[in-house]
Amino acid sequence: MADRLKVAVLASGRGSNFQALASACLAPDFPADVTLLLVDDPDAGAIGIADTLGVRSYVIDCGRSKGSMSKESSEEIYRLCSENGIGLVCLAGFMRIVKGRLLEEFSGRMMNIHPALLPSFKGLDGQKQALDYGVKVSGCTVHFVDKGIDTGPIIIQRSVPVLQEDTEESLSARILAMEHEAYPEAVKAFAEGRIEIFGRRVEIHDE
Ligand code: GAR
């Protein structure tokens, strides 16, 4: 049997995408395992989920600069990932820009999920940005991570309607349900070697 892909998830908060990924991996035909959770906040809800699921977790001090990560923390996360044989890093609500060694070494092997249809509404509060702008359709995007903010090649997008009566909460909930489907699908395709990157374009081959 081929080796299963080992996935590390980086998160900062609630951890519902971490949970969706880790749970998807429990299915017998899913070719990957989430083996590591790395958080930058000791209060992150994701830690409790990791404990319940038996996934090892570490709190990494990423520095005091909000939205950014220190050189040391990039090195430390890279070290933990390489020591643990990680083949794919998934950012799931990780609220810092990844840079340094971690970004270089995991180029093409690091994904992020964003709660809007990129390239619209990059950065923070993608759902609120979409509501405020008045778009009629929004959604989520799984993309590879590059050195920009939410700029890497797009792997999967899922759309949801924006309803007249939507609040930020109701729209976020509808998008989140799509996130929980799209992220495992992208990881599965990656683990099965069905993803090819051609510059900005990503092709997913059939199973
Ligand atoms: C998700 O909606 C994710 O798309 C978003 O944070 C939330 C994390 O939720 N990420 C970003 O906004 C990144 N720019 P979770 O902790 O329950 O997975």
Side-chain angles (χ1 to χ4, degrees), residues 11-19 46 49 91-95 112-116 121-127 140-141 143 149-150 172 175-176 179-180 183:
S12 297
R14 181 178 55 183
S16 72
N17 277 290
F18 160 63
Q19 182 162 28
I49 298 171
L91 311 185
F94 185 64
M95 294 307 188
N112 179 43
I113 183 130
H114 183 74
F121 314 127
K122 299 184 178 92
L124 294 177
D125 303 322
Q127 307 94 327
C140 67
T141 303
H143 63 94
I149 300 178
D150 301 324
S172 299
I175 292 174
L176 193 65
E179 295 183 36
H180 296 165
Y183 218 171

PDB file of all heavy atoms in Angstrom, residues 11-19 46 49 91-95 112-116 121-127 140-141 143 149-150 172 175-176 179-180 183, ligand 1:
ATOM      1  N   ALA A  11      -3.570  26.690  12.542  1.00  0.00           N
ATOM      2  CA  ALA A  11      -4.817  27.397  12.843  1.00  0.00           C
ATOM      3  C   ALA A  11      -4.576  28.430  13.924  1.00  0.00           C
ATOM      4  O   ALA A  11      -3.569  28.377  14.642  1.00  0.00           O
ATOM      5  CB  ALA A  11      -5.885  26.390  13.286  1.00  0.00           C
ATOM      6  N   SER A  12      -5.526  29.372  14.027  1.00  0.00           N
ATOM      7  CA  SER A  12      -5.422  30.392  15.074  1.00  0.00           C
ATOM      8  C   SER A  12      -6.625  30.398  16.008  1.00  0.00           C
ATOM      9  O   SER A  12      -6.583  31.029  17.055  1.00  0.00           O
ATOM     10  CB  SER A  12      -5.310  31.794  14.449  1.00  0.00           C
ATOM     11  OG  SER A  12      -4.141  31.926  13.692  1.00  0.00           O
ATOM     12  N   GLY A  13      -7.726  29.737  15.602  1.00  0.00           N
ATOM     13  CA  GLY A  13      -8.950  29.928  16.385  1.00  0.00           C
ATOM     14  C   GLY A  13      -9.785  28.693  16.564  1.00  0.00           C
ATOM     15  O   GLY A  13      -9.286  27.631  16.939  1.00  0.00           O
ATOM     16  N   ARG A  14     -11.065  28.854  16.211  1.00  0.00           N
ATOM     17  CA  ARG A  14     -12.106  27.844  16.436  1.00  0.00           C
ATOM     18  C   ARG A  14     -11.759  26.434  15.959  1.00  0.00           C
ATOM     19  O   ARG A  14     -12.015  25.451  16.630  1.00  0.00           O
ATOM     20  CB  ARG A  14     -13.336  28.387  15.685  1.00  0.00           C
ATOM     21  CG  ARG A  14     -14.575  27.612  15.733  1.00  0.00           C
ATOM     22  CD  ARG A  14     -15.643  28.381  14.974  1.00  0.00           C
ATOM     23  NE  ARG A  14     -15.231  28.696  13.593  1.00  0.00           N
ATOM     24  CZ  ARG A  14     -15.947  29.400  12.746  1.00  0.00           C
ATOM     25  NH1 ARG A  14     -17.120  29.886  13.110  1.00  0.00           N
ATOM     26  NH2 ARG A  14     -15.511  29.642  11.528  1.00  0.00           N
ATOM     27  N   GLY A  15     -11.224  26.320  14.750  1.00  0.00           N
ATOM     28  CA  GLY A  15     -10.752  25.013  14.294  1.00  0.00           C
ATOM     29  C   GLY A  15     -11.763  24.149  13.567  1.00  0.00           C
ATOM     30  O   GLY A  15     -11.555  22.939  13.441  1.00  0.00           O
ATOM     31  N   SER A  16     -12.842  24.751  13.026  1.00  0.00           N
ATOM     32  CA  SER A  16     -13.824  23.884  12.366  1.00  0.00           C
ATOM     33  C   SER A  16     -13.269  23.288  11.068  1.00  0.00           C
ATOM     34  O   SER A  16     -13.598  22.154  10.710  1.00  0.00           O
ATOM     35  CB  SER A  16     -15.139  24.625  12.118  1.00  0.00           C
ATOM     36  OG  SER A  16     -14.997  25.573  11.097  1.00  0.00           O
ATOM     37  N   ASN A  17     -12.428  24.029  10.360  1.00  0.00           N
ATOM     38  CA  ASN A  17     -11.818  23.452   9.148  1.00  0.00           C
ATOM     39  C   ASN A  17     -10.806  22.368   9.499  1.00  0.00           C
ATOM     40  O   ASN A  17     -10.687  21.373   8.789  1.00  0.00           O
ATOM     41  CB  ASN A  17     -11.169  24.546   8.295  1.00  0.00           C
ATOM     42  CG  ASN A  17     -12.176  25.237   7.404  1.00  0.00           C
ATOM     43  OD1 ASN A  17     -12.677  24.642   6.448  1.00  0.00           O
ATOM     44  ND2 ASN A  17     -12.510  26.485   7.732  1.00  0.00           N
ATOM     45  N   PHE A  18     -10.082  22.582  10.589  1.00  0.00           N
ATOM     46  CA  PHE A  18      -9.175  21.527  11.072  1.00  0.00           C
ATOM     47  C   PHE A  18      -9.985  20.267  11.353  1.00  0.00           C
ATOM     48  O   PHE A  18      -9.625  19.164  10.936  1.00  0.00           O
ATOM     49  CB  PHE A  18      -8.439  22.020  12.330  1.00  0.00           C
ATOM     50  CG  PHE A  18      -7.861  20.928  13.170  1.00  0.00           C
ATOM     51  CD1 PHE A  18      -6.867  20.101  12.679  1.00  0.00           C
ATOM     52  CD2 PHE A  18      -8.333  20.706  14.458  1.00  0.00           C
ATOM     53  CE1 PHE A  18      -6.349  19.065  13.452  1.00  0.00           C
ATOM     54  CE2 PHE A  18      -7.827  19.682  15.225  1.00  0.00           C
ATOM     55  CZ  PHE A  18      -6.835  18.854  14.727  1.00  0.00           C
ATOM     56  N   GLN A  19     -11.118  20.440  12.035  1.00  0.00           N
ATOM     57  CA  GLN A  19     -11.970  19.296  12.373  1.00  0.00           C
ATOM     58  C   GLN A  19     -12.486  18.603  11.106  1.00  0.00           C
ATOM     59  O   GLN A  19     -12.496  17.372  11.011  1.00  0.00           O
ATOM     60  CB  GLN A  19     -13.141  19.759  13.227  1.00  0.00           C
ATOM     61  CG  GLN A  19     -14.046  18.631  13.666  1.00  0.00           C
ATOM     62  CD  GLN A  19     -14.920  19.019  14.844  1.00  0.00           C
ATOM     63  OE1 GLN A  19     -15.247  20.192  15.030  1.00  0.00           O
ATOM     64  NE2 GLN A  19     -15.268  18.062  15.660  1.00  0.00           N
ATOM     65  N   ALA A  46      -9.132  25.052  18.449  1.00  0.00           N
ATOM     66  CA  ALA A  46      -8.650  23.895  17.687  1.00  0.00           C
ATOM     67  C   ALA A  46      -7.883  22.912  18.579  1.00  0.00           C
ATOM     68  O   ALA A  46      -7.884  21.707  18.313  1.00  0.00           O
ATOM     69  CB  ALA A  46      -7.753  24.381  16.544  1.00  0.00           C
ATOM     70  N   ILE A  49     -10.146  20.307  20.027  1.00  0.00           N
ATOM     71  CA  ILE A  49     -10.584  19.357  18.988  1.00  0.00           C
ATOM     72  C   ILE A  49      -9.462  18.348  18.723  1.00  0.00           C
ATOM     73  O   ILE A  49      -9.701  17.145  18.592  1.00  0.00           O
ATOM     74  CB  ILE A  49     -10.963  20.117  17.696  1.00  0.00           C
ATOM     75  CG1 ILE A  49     -12.130  21.071  17.969  1.00  0.00           C
ATOM     76  CG2 ILE A  49     -11.296  19.146  16.572  1.00  0.00           C
ATOM     77  CD1 ILE A  49     -12.441  22.029  16.818  1.00  0.00           C
ATOM     78  N   LEU A  91      -3.290  25.688   5.852  1.00  0.00           N
ATOM     79  CA  LEU A  91      -3.653  26.816   6.704  1.00  0.00           C
ATOM     80  C   LEU A  91      -5.174  26.816   6.820  1.00  0.00           C
ATOM     81  O   LEU A  91      -5.881  26.779   5.806  1.00  0.00           O
ATOM     82  CB  LEU A  91      -3.174  28.140   6.104  1.00  0.00           C
ATOM     83  CG  LEU A  91      -1.717  28.200   5.635  1.00  0.00           C
ATOM     84  CD1 LEU A  91      -1.389  29.633   5.178  1.00  0.00           C
ATOM     85  CD2 LEU A  91      -0.759  27.773   6.729  1.00  0.00           C
ATOM     86  N   ALA A  92      -5.667  26.844   8.059  1.00  0.00           N
ATOM     87  CA  ALA A  92      -7.114  26.779   8.276  1.00  0.00           C
ATOM     88  C   ALA A  92      -7.476  27.816   9.328  1.00  0.00           C
ATOM     89  O   ALA A  92      -7.460  27.537  10.523  1.00  0.00           O
ATOM     90  CB  ALA A  92      -7.519  25.375   8.712  1.00  0.00           C
ATOM     91  N   GLY A  93      -7.708  29.041   8.852  1.00  0.00           N
ATOM     92  CA  GLY A  93      -7.965  30.120   9.802  1.00  0.00           C
ATOM     93  C   GLY A  93      -6.702  30.511  10.549  1.00  0.00           C
ATOM     94  O   GLY A  93      -6.768  30.917  11.702  1.00  0.00           O
ATOM     95  N   PHE A  94      -5.555  30.400   9.878  1.00  0.00           N
ATOM     96  CA  PHE A  94      -4.276  30.820  10.472  1.00  0.00           C
ATOM     97  C   PHE A  94      -4.078  32.283  10.087  1.00  0.00           C
ATOM     98  O   PHE A  94      -3.930  32.596   8.903  1.00  0.00           O
ATOM     99  CB  PHE A  94      -3.130  29.961   9.945  1.00  0.00           C
ATOM    100  CG  PHE A  94      -1.804  30.240  10.590  1.00  0.00           C
ATOM    101  CD1 PHE A  94      -1.612  29.995  11.941  1.00  0.00           C
ATOM    102  CD2 PHE A  94      -0.742  30.746   9.851  1.00  0.00           C
ATOM    103  CE1 PHE A  94      -0.388  30.247  12.552  1.00  0.00           C
ATOM    104  CE2 PHE A  94       0.488  30.994  10.442  1.00  0.00           C
ATOM    105  CZ  PHE A  94       0.657  30.743  11.800  1.00  0.00           C
ATOM    106  N   MET A  95      -4.126  33.156  11.072  1.00  0.00           N
ATOM    107  CA  MET A  95      -4.238  34.579  10.777  1.00  0.00           C
ATOM    108  C   MET A  95      -2.871  35.293  10.705  1.00  0.00           C
ATOM    109  O   MET A  95      -2.732  36.413  11.195  1.00  0.00           O
ATOM    110  CB  MET A  95      -5.147  35.246  11.809  1.00  0.00           C
ATOM    111  CG  MET A  95      -6.586  34.746  11.713  1.00  0.00           C
ATOM    112  SD  MET A  95      -7.210  34.903  10.016  1.00  0.00           S
ATOM    113  CE  MET A  95      -8.930  34.488  10.230  1.00  0.00           C
ATOM    114  N   ASN A 112      -4.278  27.107   1.518  1.00  0.00           N
ATOM    115  CA  ASN A 112      -5.036  27.961   2.441  1.00  0.00           C
ATOM    116  C   ASN A 112      -6.499  27.920   2.023  1.00  0.00           C
ATOM    117  O   ASN A 112      -6.817  27.687   0.855  1.00  0.00           O
ATOM    118  CB  ASN A 112      -4.518  29.399   2.359  1.00  0.00           C
ATOM    119  CG  ASN A 112      -5.278  30.337   3.281  1.00  0.00           C
ATOM    120  OD1 ASN A 112      -5.566  30.000   4.430  1.00  0.00           O
ATOM    121  ND2 ASN A 112      -5.633  31.519   2.786  1.00  0.00           N
ATOM    122  N   ILE A 113      -7.381  28.151   2.996  1.00  0.00           N
ATOM    123  CA  ILE A 113      -8.803  28.319   2.643  1.00  0.00           C
ATOM    124  C   ILE A 113      -9.202  29.732   2.982  1.00  0.00           C
ATOM    125  O   ILE A 113      -8.840  30.264   4.042  1.00  0.00           O
ATOM    126  CB  ILE A 113      -9.712  27.281   3.330  1.00  0.00           C
ATOM    127  CG1 ILE A 113     -11.168  27.445   2.866  1.00  0.00           C
ATOM    128  CG2 ILE A 113      -9.654  27.364   4.852  1.00  0.00           C
ATOM    129  CD1 ILE A 113     -11.812  26.191   2.428  1.00  0.00           C
ATOM    130  N   HIS A 114      -9.931  30.348   2.037  1.00  0.00           N
ATOM    131  CA  HIS A 114     -10.328  31.745   2.215  1.00  0.00           C
ATOM    132  C   HIS A 114     -11.842  31.865   2.039  1.00  0.00           C
ATOM    133  O   HIS A 114     -12.401  31.276   1.099  1.00  0.00           O
ATOM    134  CB  HIS A 114      -9.592  32.626   1.195  1.00  0.00           C
ATOM    135  CG  HIS A 114      -9.890  34.068   1.374  1.00  0.00           C
ATOM    136  ND1 HIS A 114      -9.371  34.815   2.421  1.00  0.00           N
ATOM    137  CD2 HIS A 114     -10.677  34.917   0.668  1.00  0.00           C
ATOM    138  CE1 HIS A 114      -9.837  36.047   2.342  1.00  0.00           C
ATOM    139  NE2 HIS A 114     -10.631  36.140   1.289  1.00  0.00           N
ATOM    140  N   PRO A 115     -12.522  32.658   2.891  1.00  0.00           N
ATOM    141  CA  PRO A 115     -13.992  32.707   2.840  1.00  0.00           C
ATOM    142  C   PRO A 115     -14.549  33.728   1.841  1.00  0.00           C
ATOM    143  O   PRO A 115     -15.409  34.542   2.176  1.00  0.00           O
ATOM    144  CB  PRO A 115     -14.356  33.081   4.278  1.00  0.00           C
ATOM    145  CG  PRO A 115     -13.224  33.940   4.727  1.00  0.00           C
ATOM    146  CD  PRO A 115     -11.993  33.389   4.044  1.00  0.00           C
ATOM    147  N   ALA A 116     -14.051  33.689   0.604  1.00  0.00           N
ATOM    148  CA  ALA A 116     -14.576  34.530  -0.477  1.00  0.00           C
ATOM    149  C   ALA A 116     -14.086  33.933  -1.785  1.00  0.00           C
ATOM    150  O   ALA A 116     -13.216  33.056  -1.790  1.00  0.00           O
ATOM    151  CB  ALA A 116     -14.084  35.974  -0.343  1.00  0.00           C
ATOM    152  N   PHE A 121     -12.040  40.215  -2.489  1.00  0.00           N
ATOM    153  CA  PHE A 121     -12.153  40.225  -1.025  1.00  0.00           C
ATOM    154  C   PHE A 121     -11.054  39.425  -0.314  1.00  0.00           C
ATOM    155  O   PHE A 121     -11.320  38.537   0.491  1.00  0.00           O
ATOM    156  CB  PHE A 121     -13.559  39.755  -0.605  1.00  0.00           C
ATOM    157  CG  PHE A 121     -14.642  40.406  -1.414  1.00  0.00           C
ATOM    158  CD1 PHE A 121     -15.605  39.650  -2.069  1.00  0.00           C
ATOM    159  CD2 PHE A 121     -14.668  41.791  -1.557  1.00  0.00           C
ATOM    160  CE1 PHE A 121     -16.587  40.259  -2.846  1.00  0.00           C
ATOM    161  CE2 PHE A 121     -15.651  42.402  -2.339  1.00  0.00           C
ATOM    162  CZ  PHE A 121     -16.601  41.637  -2.973  1.00  0.00           C
ATOM    163  N   LYS A 122      -9.827  39.763  -0.664  1.00  0.00           N
ATOM    164  CA  LYS A 122      -8.661  39.165   0.009  1.00  0.00           C
ATOM    165  C   LYS A 122      -8.551  39.690   1.432  1.00  0.00           C
ATOM    166  O   LYS A 122      -9.163  40.690   1.786  1.00  0.00           O
ATOM    167  CB  LYS A 122      -7.387  39.576  -0.727  1.00  0.00           C
ATOM    168  CG  LYS A 122      -7.294  39.148  -2.169  1.00  0.00           C
ATOM    169  CD  LYS A 122      -5.928  39.558  -2.711  1.00  0.00           C
ATOM    170  CE  LYS A 122      -5.709  39.124  -4.136  1.00  0.00           C
ATOM    171  NZ  LYS A 122      -6.104  40.127  -5.115  1.00  0.00           N
ATOM    172  N   GLY A 123      -7.718  39.046   2.215  1.00  0.00           N
ATOM    173  CA  GLY A 123      -7.384  39.549   3.552  1.00  0.00           C
ATOM    174  C   GLY A 123      -8.444  39.213   4.582  1.00  0.00           C
ATOM    175  O   GLY A 123      -9.127  38.194   4.489  1.00  0.00           O
ATOM    176  N   LEU A 124      -8.593  40.103   5.552  1.00  0.00           N
ATOM    177  CA  LEU A 124      -9.484  39.822   6.686  1.00  0.00           C
ATOM    178  C   LEU A 124     -10.954  40.027   6.319  1.00  0.00           C
ATOM    179  O   LEU A 124     -11.279  40.834   5.446  1.00  0.00           O
ATOM    180  CB  LEU A 124      -9.136  40.747   7.854  1.00  0.00           C
ATOM    181  CG  LEU A 124      -7.749  40.542   8.488  1.00  0.00           C
ATOM    182  CD1 LEU A 124      -7.523  41.573   9.586  1.00  0.00           C
ATOM    183  CD2 LEU A 124      -7.596  39.132   9.040  1.00  0.00           C
ATOM    184  N   ASP A 125     -11.834  39.295   7.022  1.00  0.00           N
ATOM    185  CA  ASP A 125     -13.282  39.496   6.938  1.00  0.00           C
ATOM    186  C   ASP A 125     -13.821  39.451   5.502  1.00  0.00           C
ATOM    187  O   ASP A 125     -14.564  40.338   5.073  1.00  0.00           O
ATOM    188  CB  ASP A 125     -13.661  40.848   7.592  1.00  0.00           C
ATOM    189  CG  ASP A 125     -13.192  40.913   9.041  1.00  0.00           C
ATOM    190  OD1 ASP A 125     -13.262  39.880   9.721  1.00  0.00           O
ATOM    191  OD2 ASP A 125     -12.743  41.988   9.480  1.00  0.00           O
ATOM    192  N   GLY A 126     -13.444  38.406   4.793  1.00  0.00           N
ATOM    193  CA  GLY A 126     -13.887  38.256   3.403  1.00  0.00           C
ATOM    194  C   GLY A 126     -15.394  38.248   3.271  1.00  0.00           C
ATOM    195  O   GLY A 126     -15.949  38.783   2.300  1.00  0.00           O
ATOM    196  N   GLN A 127     -16.091  37.676   4.256  1.00  0.00           N
ATOM    197  CA  GLN A 127     -17.551  37.600   4.179  1.00  0.00           C
ATOM    198  C   GLN A 127     -18.168  38.994   4.320  1.00  0.00           C
ATOM    199  O   GLN A 127     -19.090  39.359   3.587  1.00  0.00           O
ATOM    200  CB  GLN A 127     -18.103  36.698   5.292  1.00  0.00           C
ATOM    201  CG  GLN A 127     -17.485  35.307   5.359  1.00  0.00           C
ATOM    202  CD  GLN A 127     -16.319  35.214   6.331  1.00  0.00           C
ATOM    203  OE1 GLN A 127     -15.564  36.171   6.520  1.00  0.00           O
ATOM    204  NE2 GLN A 127     -16.155  34.053   6.945  1.00  0.00           N
ATOM    205  N   CYS A 140     -16.154  30.258  -1.212  1.00  0.00           N
ATOM    206  CA  CYS A 140     -14.843  30.017  -0.603  1.00  0.00           C
ATOM    207  C   CYS A 140     -13.861  29.568  -1.678  1.00  0.00           C
ATOM    208  O   CYS A 140     -14.257  29.110  -2.753  1.00  0.00           O
ATOM    209  CB  CYS A 140     -14.939  28.981   0.512  1.00  0.00           C
ATOM    210  SG  CYS A 140     -15.360  27.322  -0.066  1.00  0.00           S
ATOM    211  N   THR A 141     -12.594  29.721  -1.338  1.00  0.00           N
ATOM    212  CA  THR A 141     -11.516  29.363  -2.268  1.00  0.00           C
ATOM    213  C   THR A 141     -10.444  28.584  -1.524  1.00  0.00           C
ATOM    214  O   THR A 141      -9.984  29.022  -0.463  1.00  0.00           O
ATOM    215  CB  THR A 141     -10.854  30.648  -2.849  1.00  0.00           C
ATOM    216  OG1 THR A 141     -11.841  31.455  -3.479  1.00  0.00           O
ATOM    217  CG2 THR A 141      -9.758  30.296  -3.845  1.00  0.00           C
ATOM    218  N   HIS A 143      -6.618  27.559  -2.128  1.00  0.00           N
ATOM    219  CA  HIS A 143      -5.544  27.942  -3.053  1.00  0.00           C
ATOM    220  C   HIS A 143      -4.185  27.579  -2.478  1.00  0.00           C
ATOM    221  O   HIS A 143      -4.036  27.407  -1.260  1.00  0.00           O
ATOM    222  CB  HIS A 143      -5.616  29.453  -3.347  1.00  0.00           C
ATOM    223  CG  HIS A 143      -5.396  30.322  -2.145  1.00  0.00           C
ATOM    224  ND1 HIS A 143      -4.150  30.830  -1.801  1.00  0.00           N
ATOM    225  CD2 HIS A 143      -6.242  30.762  -1.186  1.00  0.00           C
ATOM    226  CE1 HIS A 143      -4.270  31.547  -0.685  1.00  0.00           C
ATOM    227  NE2 HIS A 143      -5.524  31.526  -0.292  1.00  0.00           N
ATOM    228  N   ILE A 149      -0.749  37.926  -0.199  1.00  0.00           N
ATOM    229  CA  ILE A 149      -1.882  37.665   0.698  1.00  0.00           C
ATOM    230  C   ILE A 149      -3.049  37.141  -0.140  1.00  0.00           C
ATOM    231  O   ILE A 149      -3.634  37.889  -0.934  1.00  0.00           O
ATOM    232  CB  ILE A 149      -2.288  38.950   1.455  1.00  0.00           C
ATOM    233  CG1 ILE A 149      -1.109  39.448   2.290  1.00  0.00           C
ATOM    234  CG2 ILE A 149      -3.518  38.702   2.325  1.00  0.00           C
ATOM    235  CD1 ILE A 149      -1.381  40.744   3.043  1.00  0.00           C
ATOM    236  N   ASP A 150      -3.327  35.844   0.005  1.00  0.00           N
ATOM    237  CA  ASP A 150      -4.431  35.198  -0.716  1.00  0.00           C
ATOM    238  C   ASP A 150      -4.295  35.314  -2.232  1.00  0.00           C
ATOM    239  O   ASP A 150      -5.293  35.501  -2.953  1.00  0.00           O
ATOM    240  CB  ASP A 150      -5.785  35.799  -0.263  1.00  0.00           C
ATOM    241  CG  ASP A 150      -6.010  35.636   1.240  1.00  0.00           C
ATOM    242  OD1 ASP A 150      -5.598  34.611   1.790  1.00  0.00           O
ATOM    243  OD2 ASP A 150      -6.602  36.544   1.850  1.00  0.00           O
ATOM    244  N   SER A 172     -21.593  33.897   6.598  1.00  0.00           N
ATOM    245  CA  SER A 172     -20.386  33.153   7.017  1.00  0.00           C
ATOM    246  C   SER A 172     -20.712  31.686   7.247  1.00  0.00           C
ATOM    247  O   SER A 172     -19.928  30.803   6.884  1.00  0.00           O
ATOM    248  CB  SER A 172     -19.809  33.742   8.314  1.00  0.00           C
ATOM    249  OG  SER A 172     -19.429  35.079   8.108  1.00  0.00           O
ATOM    250  N   ILE A 175     -21.095  29.937   3.922  1.00  0.00           N
ATOM    251  CA  ILE A 175     -19.779  29.757   3.285  1.00  0.00           C
ATOM    252  C   ILE A 175     -18.990  28.665   4.011  1.00  0.00           C
ATOM    253  O   ILE A 175     -18.346  27.817   3.388  1.00  0.00           O
ATOM    254  CB  ILE A 175     -18.991  31.091   3.265  1.00  0.00           C
ATOM    255  CG1 ILE A 175     -19.678  32.082   2.316  1.00  0.00           C
ATOM    256  CG2 ILE A 175     -17.546  30.870   2.850  1.00  0.00           C
ATOM    257  CD1 ILE A 175     -19.077  33.481   2.317  1.00  0.00           C
ATOM    258  N   LEU A 176     -19.077  28.676   5.350  1.00  0.00           N
ATOM    259  CA  LEU A 176     -18.302  27.706   6.137  1.00  0.00           C
ATOM    260  C   LEU A 176     -18.683  26.264   5.777  1.00  0.00           C
ATOM    261  O   LEU A 176     -17.821  25.382   5.683  1.00  0.00           O
ATOM    262  CB  LEU A 176     -18.505  27.963   7.634  1.00  0.00           C
ATOM    263  CG  LEU A 176     -17.528  27.255   8.579  1.00  0.00           C
ATOM    264  CD1 LEU A 176     -16.096  27.754   8.377  1.00  0.00           C
ATOM    265  CD2 LEU A 176     -17.940  27.461  10.035  1.00  0.00           C
ATOM    266  N   GLU A 179     -16.797  25.463   2.850  1.00  0.00           N
ATOM    267  CA  GLU A 179     -15.371  25.286   3.178  1.00  0.00           C
ATOM    268  C   GLU A 179     -15.107  23.859   3.627  1.00  0.00           C
ATOM    269  O   GLU A 179     -14.116  23.235   3.241  1.00  0.00           O
ATOM    270  CB  GLU A 179     -14.951  26.259   4.289  1.00  0.00           C
ATOM    271  CG  GLU A 179     -15.015  27.724   3.901  1.00  0.00           C
ATOM    272  CD  GLU A 179     -14.506  28.642   5.012  1.00  0.00           C
ATOM    273  OE1 GLU A 179     -13.553  28.284   5.719  1.00  0.00           O
ATOM    274  OE2 GLU A 179     -15.068  29.748   5.175  1.00  0.00           O
ATOM    275  N   HIS A 180     -16.026  23.350   4.457  1.00  0.00           N
ATOM    276  CA  HIS A 180     -15.826  22.022   5.030  1.00  0.00           C
ATOM    277  C   HIS A 180     -15.897  20.919   3.980  1.00  0.00           C
ATOM    278  O   HIS A 180     -15.442  19.803   4.218  1.00  0.00           O
ATOM    279  CB  HIS A 180     -16.845  21.777   6.153  1.00  0.00           C
ATOM    280  CG  HIS A 180     -16.666  22.701   7.312  1.00  0.00           C
ATOM    281  ND1 HIS A 180     -17.613  22.882   8.286  1.00  0.00           N
ATOM    282  CD2 HIS A 180     -15.615  23.509   7.653  1.00  0.00           C
ATOM    283  CE1 HIS A 180     -17.174  23.761   9.177  1.00  0.00           C
ATOM    284  NE2 HIS A 180     -15.967  24.153   8.813  1.00  0.00           N
ATOM    285  N   TYR A 183     -12.312  21.893   1.268  1.00  0.00           N
ATOM    286  CA  TYR A 183     -10.932  21.680   1.733  1.00  0.00           C
ATOM    287  C   TYR A 183     -10.548  20.196   1.700  1.00  0.00           C
ATOM    288  O   TYR A 183      -9.511  19.824   1.122  1.00  0.00           O
ATOM    289  CB  TYR A 183     -10.731  22.299   3.115  1.00  0.00           C
ATOM    290  CG  TYR A 183      -9.376  22.960   3.321  1.00  0.00           C
ATOM    291  CD1 TYR A 183      -9.102  23.735   4.446  1.00  0.00           C
ATOM    292  CD2 TYR A 183      -8.346  22.803   2.388  1.00  0.00           C
ATOM    293  CE1 TYR A 183      -7.866  24.340   4.631  1.00  0.00           C
ATOM    294  CE2 TYR A 183      -7.110  23.398   2.571  1.00  0.00           C
ATOM    295  CZ  TYR A 183      -6.874  24.159   3.698  1.00  0.00           C
ATOM    296  OH  TYR A 183      -5.639  24.757   3.874  1.00  0.00           O
TER     297      TYR A 183
HETATM  298  C1  GAR B   1     -12.682  30.248   8.048  1.00  0.00           C
HETATM  299  O1  GAR B   1     -13.874  30.853   7.608  1.00  0.00           O
HETATM  300  C2  GAR B   1     -11.555  30.528   7.093  1.00  0.00           C
HETATM  301  O2  GAR B   1     -11.954  30.559   5.758  1.00  0.00           O
HETATM  302  C3  GAR B   1     -11.117  31.885   7.556  1.00  0.00           C
HETATM  303  O3  GAR B   1     -11.149  31.816   8.950  1.00  0.00           O
HETATM  304  C4  GAR B   1     -12.176  30.910   9.332  1.00  0.00           C
HETATM  305  C5  GAR B   1     -11.573  29.921  10.287  1.00  0.00           C
HETATM  306  O4  GAR B   1     -12.581  29.128  10.840  1.00  0.00           O
HETATM  307  N1  GAR B   1      -9.816  32.221   7.069  1.00  0.00           N
HETATM  308  C6  GAR B   1      -9.472  33.449   6.715  1.00  0.00           C
HETATM  309  O5  GAR B   1     -10.216  34.400   6.801  1.00  0.00           O
HETATM  310  C7  GAR B   1      -8.053  33.574   6.198  1.00  0.00           C
HETATM  311  N2  GAR B   1      -7.911  34.815   5.510  1.00  0.00           N
HETATM  312  P1  GAR B   1     -12.216  27.792  11.576  1.00  0.00           P
HETATM  313  O6  GAR B   1     -11.183  28.147  12.655  1.00  0.00           O
HETATM  314  O7  GAR B   1     -13.501  27.341  12.194  1.00  0.00           O
HETATM  315  O8  GAR B   1     -11.677  26.832  10.570  1.00  0.00           O
END
